[in-house]
Amino acid sequence: RHMKLQGFSGSGKTTFYLTMFADMAAGLKSPDEALLCIIDCDLEGQADLIARDSIVPPALRSRILRKVCSTPDEANDMVLAYIDLMHQHKEEHPNGVRMVVLENEGAYYLGCRNHYAESVHGMSEADLLLARQQQALREGKKALPTFEEGQMHSYKVINRLFVQPFERLKMGAELCGAHFISTTLLKERTEGFGTADAKSIVVSAGRPDITDPLFDWIVEFASQQRMKGGDLQTRYIAQIKKSRSCAPFVLENPSQDRFNKAVEKSAN
């Protein structure tokens, strides 16, 4: 499966792919037959989830490799290293389970923009934006575009840098018989701010127009909380937004067993 998992922070994205990996590895003869490689661009607590026995069995924990990458160069180096590692794993364990994960798209996209700003202008995007605002004030203008060379040039470079690891991971995963998972956060923004028609909408962080077509599945996660009898109760929801294997469906508290059964049912 090549899947994009999207949702607000704490909605269950990471737990879902970790339990998916553990579920698939449960039928193997040895933990060595399983391999999960994570490129972590957001530092949102994956390490704590991996350490929980209820999510990842202790015997399987050593089969999870996680590298924190703060720049596009680091991320692309790890993409190539993990693809090579998965090739080796396929040779040693042709019937094993392999999964590679990019956490998360939105954070990586911001990293690509920042990398471009530093490479071309010698400062972070935030500092560049401040400098351009100050320049606009000096020139008596309301605002200036962040990149003075223009969007046509800057975003072609940024988008090419951004999409490269996604393309490499998908092709590498297909060659290695691996599952490719990407996560991204949802965010709220206001359309028509300051007008009578202003409204709040929820969008996916990153560049979904570029990455969505690469995935066979897009699963959206949400969580709802309420107080009952003095206890805080949380309900998790998974919704299939796109799938080439089954019809869309919504599932509450989606364990791997319940998710697989729902997929099977909606495919018939």
PDB file of all heavy atoms in Angstrom, residues 1 23 27 39 85 121 131 133 135 160 186 192-193 240 265:
ATOM      1  N   ARG A   1       0.824  -1.193   0.000  1.00  0.00           N
ATOM      2  CA  ARG A   1       0.000   0.000   0.000  1.00  0.00           C
ATOM      3  C   ARG A   1       0.870   1.260   0.000  1.00  0.00           C
ATOM      4  O   ARG A   1       1.816   1.362   0.767  1.00  0.00           O
ATOM      5  CB  ARG A   1      -0.918   0.032   1.236  1.00  0.00           C
ATOM      6  CG  ARG A   1      -1.980  -1.050   1.266  1.00  0.00           C
ATOM      7  CD  ARG A   1      -2.708  -1.059   2.593  1.00  0.00           C
ATOM      8  NE  ARG A   1      -3.787  -2.053   2.624  1.00  0.00           N
ATOM      9  CZ  ARG A   1      -4.471  -2.380   3.710  1.00  0.00           C
ATOM     10  NH1 ARG A   1      -4.176  -1.806   4.870  1.00  0.00           N
ATOM     11  NH2 ARG A   1      -5.442  -3.275   3.665  1.00  0.00           N
ATOM     12  N   ASP A  23       1.033  -5.437  12.863  1.00  0.00           N
ATOM     13  CA  ASP A  23       0.043  -6.437  12.449  1.00  0.00           C
ATOM     14  C   ASP A  23       0.583  -7.310  11.320  1.00  0.00           C
ATOM     15  O   ASP A  23       0.420  -8.533  11.333  1.00  0.00           O
ATOM     16  CB  ASP A  23      -1.238  -5.725  12.015  1.00  0.00           C
ATOM     17  CG  ASP A  23      -2.350  -6.697  11.642  1.00  0.00           C
ATOM     18  OD1 ASP A  23      -2.850  -7.383  12.545  1.00  0.00           O
ATOM     19  OD2 ASP A  23      -2.708  -6.768  10.452  1.00  0.00           O
ATOM     20  N   GLY A  27       2.758 -12.241  11.628  1.00  0.00           N
ATOM     21  CA  GLY A  27       2.736 -13.560  11.008  1.00  0.00           C
ATOM     22  C   GLY A  27       4.082 -14.058  10.520  1.00  0.00           C
ATOM     23  O   GLY A  27       4.172 -15.146   9.920  1.00  0.00           O
ATOM     24  N   ILE A  39      11.706   8.486   8.115  1.00  0.00           N
ATOM     25  CA  ILE A  39      12.377   9.776   7.955  1.00  0.00           C
ATOM     26  C   ILE A  39      11.502  10.796   8.669  1.00  0.00           C
ATOM     27  O   ILE A  39      10.389  11.091   8.238  1.00  0.00           O
ATOM     28  CB  ILE A  39      12.541  10.136   6.468  1.00  0.00           C
ATOM     29  CG1 ILE A  39      13.413   9.093   5.767  1.00  0.00           C
ATOM     30  CG2 ILE A  39      13.153  11.531   6.307  1.00  0.00           C
ATOM     31  CD1 ILE A  39      13.433   9.213   4.261  1.00  0.00           C
ATOM     32  N   LEU A  85      18.929  -0.027   1.908  1.00  0.00           N
ATOM     33  CA  LEU A  85      18.712  -0.965   3.008  1.00  0.00           C
ATOM     34  C   LEU A  85      17.536  -1.894   2.708  1.00  0.00           C
ATOM     35  O   LEU A  85      17.587  -3.098   2.998  1.00  0.00           O
ATOM     36  CB  LEU A  85      18.464  -0.185   4.298  1.00  0.00           C
ATOM     37  CG  LEU A  85      18.570  -0.960   5.618  1.00  0.00           C
ATOM     38  CD1 LEU A  85      19.954  -1.566   5.787  1.00  0.00           C
ATOM     39  CD2 LEU A  85      18.249  -0.030   6.783  1.00  0.00           C
ATOM     40  N   HIS A 121      19.419  33.480  -0.895  1.00  0.00           N
ATOM     41  CA  HIS A 121      19.431  34.814  -0.293  1.00  0.00           C
ATOM     42  C   HIS A 121      20.275  34.901   0.975  1.00  0.00           C
ATOM     43  O   HIS A 121      20.404  35.987   1.556  1.00  0.00           O
ATOM     44  CB  HIS A 121      18.000  35.250   0.021  1.00  0.00           C
ATOM     45  CG  HIS A 121      17.139  35.366  -1.196  1.00  0.00           C
ATOM     46  ND1 HIS A 121      17.153  36.464  -2.029  1.00  0.00           N
ATOM     47  CD2 HIS A 121      16.246  34.500  -1.749  1.00  0.00           C
ATOM     48  CE1 HIS A 121      16.301  36.282  -3.032  1.00  0.00           C
ATOM     49  NE2 HIS A 121      15.737  35.095  -2.879  1.00  0.00           N
ATOM     50  N   ALA A 131      12.811  41.136   6.071  1.00  0.00           N
ATOM     51  CA  ALA A 131      13.598  42.097   5.296  1.00  0.00           C
ATOM     52  C   ALA A 131      12.779  42.667   4.139  1.00  0.00           C
ATOM     53  O   ALA A 131      12.857  43.872   3.842  1.00  0.00           O
ATOM     54  CB  ALA A 131      14.860  41.422   4.756  1.00  0.00           C
ATOM     55  N   GLN A 133       9.509  42.981   4.063  1.00  0.00           N
ATOM     56  CA  GLN A 133       8.491  43.862   4.632  1.00  0.00           C
ATOM     57  C   GLN A 133       9.079  45.240   4.947  1.00  0.00           C
ATOM     58  O   GLN A 133       8.460  46.274   4.702  1.00  0.00           O
ATOM     59  CB  GLN A 133       7.907  43.231   5.898  1.00  0.00           C
ATOM     60  CG  GLN A 133       6.983  42.050   5.630  1.00  0.00           C
ATOM     61  CD  GLN A 133       6.504  41.385   6.900  1.00  0.00           C
ATOM     62  OE1 GLN A 133       7.174  41.434   7.930  1.00  0.00           O
ATOM     63  NE2 GLN A 133       5.348  40.736   6.839  1.00  0.00           N
ATOM     64  N   GLN A 135      11.671  46.540   3.469  1.00  0.00           N
ATOM     65  CA  GLN A 135      11.934  47.175   2.175  1.00  0.00           C
ATOM     66  C   GLN A 135      10.658  47.789   1.602  1.00  0.00           C
ATOM     67  O   GLN A 135      10.686  48.904   1.056  1.00  0.00           O
ATOM     68  CB  GLN A 135      12.500  46.139   1.193  1.00  0.00           C
ATOM     69  CG  GLN A 135      12.826  46.723  -0.182  1.00  0.00           C
ATOM     70  CD  GLN A 135      13.315  45.653  -1.148  1.00  0.00           C
ATOM     71  OE1 GLN A 135      13.651  44.532  -0.748  1.00  0.00           O
ATOM     72  NE2 GLN A 135      13.371  45.985  -2.425  1.00  0.00           N
ATOM     73  N   ARG A 160      10.614  21.219  -7.146  1.00  0.00           N
ATOM     74  CA  ARG A 160      11.448  20.104  -7.611  1.00  0.00           C
ATOM     75  C   ARG A 160      12.192  19.484  -6.437  1.00  0.00           C
ATOM     76  O   ARG A 160      12.282  18.255  -6.306  1.00  0.00           O
ATOM     77  CB  ARG A 160      12.437  20.600  -8.673  1.00  0.00           C
ATOM     78  CG  ARG A 160      13.313  19.522  -9.265  1.00  0.00           C
ATOM     79  CD  ARG A 160      12.469  18.470  -9.953  1.00  0.00           C
ATOM     80  NE  ARG A 160      12.987  17.136  -9.680  1.00  0.00           N
ATOM     81  CZ  ARG A 160      12.272  16.040  -9.753  1.00  0.00           C
ATOM     82  NH1 ARG A 160      10.992  16.096 -10.054  1.00  0.00           N
ATOM     83  NH2 ARG A 160      12.797  14.878  -9.520  1.00  0.00           N
ATOM     84  N   LEU A 186      -3.379  18.448   8.960  1.00  0.00           N
ATOM     85  CA  LEU A 186      -4.418  19.329   8.456  1.00  0.00           C
ATOM     86  C   LEU A 186      -4.312  20.655   9.199  1.00  0.00           C
ATOM     87  O   LEU A 186      -3.852  20.710  10.340  1.00  0.00           O
ATOM     88  CB  LEU A 186      -5.807  18.715   8.687  1.00  0.00           C
ATOM     89  CG  LEU A 186      -6.121  17.433   7.907  1.00  0.00           C
ATOM     90  CD1 LEU A 186      -7.515  16.934   8.272  1.00  0.00           C
ATOM     91  CD2 LEU A 186      -6.001  17.639   6.406  1.00  0.00           C
ATOM     92  N   GLY A 192     -11.234  34.633   2.311  1.00  0.00           N
ATOM     93  CA  GLY A 192     -11.952  35.900   2.287  1.00  0.00           C
ATOM     94  C   GLY A 192     -11.863  36.656   3.589  1.00  0.00           C
ATOM     95  O   GLY A 192     -12.836  37.288   4.018  1.00  0.00           O
ATOM     96  N   PHE A 193     -10.699  36.601   4.232  1.00  0.00           N
ATOM     97  CA  PHE A 193     -10.532  37.259   5.539  1.00  0.00           C
ATOM     98  C   PHE A 193     -10.856  38.751   5.435  1.00  0.00           C
ATOM     99  O   PHE A 193     -10.424  39.440   4.518  1.00  0.00           O
ATOM    100  CB  PHE A 193      -9.090  37.080   6.029  1.00  0.00           C
ATOM    101  CG  PHE A 193      -8.825  37.696   7.369  1.00  0.00           C
ATOM    102  CD1 PHE A 193      -9.251  37.095   8.533  1.00  0.00           C
ATOM    103  CD2 PHE A 193      -8.164  38.920   7.459  1.00  0.00           C
ATOM    104  CE1 PHE A 193      -9.014  37.666   9.776  1.00  0.00           C
ATOM    105  CE2 PHE A 193      -7.922  39.500   8.694  1.00  0.00           C
ATOM    106  CZ  PHE A 193      -8.349  38.869   9.847  1.00  0.00           C
ATOM    107  N   ILE A 240     -11.776   7.094   4.613  1.00  0.00           N
ATOM    108  CA  ILE A 240     -11.106   6.875   3.337  1.00  0.00           C
ATOM    109  C   ILE A 240     -11.495   8.001   2.391  1.00  0.00           C
ATOM    110  O   ILE A 240     -12.651   8.110   1.980  1.00  0.00           O
ATOM    111  CB  ILE A 240     -11.493   5.514   2.719  1.00  0.00           C
ATOM    112  CG1 ILE A 240     -11.175   4.374   3.684  1.00  0.00           C
ATOM    113  CG2 ILE A 240     -10.773   5.312   1.390  1.00  0.00           C
ATOM    114  CD1 ILE A 240      -9.718   4.215   3.989  1.00  0.00           C
ATOM    115  N   LYS A 265     -14.923  -5.494   3.187  1.00  0.00           N
ATOM    116  CA  LYS A 265     -16.376  -5.374   3.002  1.00  0.00           C
ATOM    117  C   LYS A 265     -16.705  -4.353   1.924  1.00  0.00           C
ATOM    118  O   LYS A 265     -17.595  -4.590   1.082  1.00  0.00           O
ATOM    119  CB  LYS A 265     -17.032  -4.980   4.331  1.00  0.00           C
ATOM    120  CG  LYS A 265     -18.548  -4.851   4.247  1.00  0.00           C
ATOM    121  CD  LYS A 265     -19.136  -4.495   5.609  1.00  0.00           C
ATOM    122  CE  LYS A 265     -20.646  -4.337   5.525  1.00  0.00           C
ATOM    123  NZ  LYS A 265     -21.237  -3.957   6.836  1.00  0.00           N
TER     124      LYS A 265
END
